[in-house]
Amino acid sequence: MSVTSPVPHKIIGVAVIWNHQKQILIDRRLPQGTMGGLWEFPGGKIEHDETIQECIKREIHEELGIEIVVGEHLITINHTYTHLQVTLTVHHCHHVQGIPQAIECAEIRWVDLNELDQFTFPEANIEIITALQNSKK
Ligand SMILES: Nc1nc2c([nH]c(=O)n2[C@H]2C[C@H](O)[C@@H](COP(=O)(O)OP(=O)(O)OP(=O)(O)O)O2)c(=O)[nH]1
Ligand SMILES: [Mg+2]
């Protein structure tokens, strides 16, 4: 008889942050740890008693030191990696104040939508990027 233990499930709020030049903010994960060195949209785990919008606003302040307005829902992705299941709830967001700083990541960049293909993202992000490209057509 084999016993399988369920993989951990993380609920993550994710921000697609736009500036006035219609660029999107992406960050590179630290080299060590899960999905190290890959690019991502900033965000993180939801805390209890928090809405997804509150989670996104808090994570962006903690990780990048900036203020944003959380806008329209873009997509929710359920994805299972080998040792981890994630639910990524993605919202369009707007940069309001502050210069983004790489507080909890290796690097950050403002990029055009058509430049996203040049960066390596986690597997779950393929669907997010497709949704973004389709929503802007
Ligand atoms: N923020 C973010 N996370 C993503 C994206 N795509 C993707 O698969 N993920 C995964 C990577 C992580 O496992 C998880 C984000 O959780 P997290 O940033 O709070 O957690 P972490 O793994 O960095 O670290 P920890 O706090 O659990 O130690 O979601 C994305 O575009 N943005
Ligand atoms: Mg994070």
Side-chain angles (χ1 to χ4, degrees), residues 18-31:
W18 296 90
N19 67 13
H20 291 301
Q21 287 76 45
K22 297 203 168 90
Q23 293 169 312
I24 297 168
L25 195 61
I26 59 171
D27 74 87
R28 189 173 201 166
R29 293 174 65 85
L30 294 170

Side-chain angles (χ1 to χ4, degrees), residues 10 12 29 35 40-45 81 84 86 88 122 125:
K10 287 188 181 180
I12 311 292
R29 293 174 65 85
M35 298 175 231
E40 65 173 13
F41 302 107
K45 277 185 295 279
Y81 294 108
L84 174 71
V86 290
L88 306 172
N125 286 58

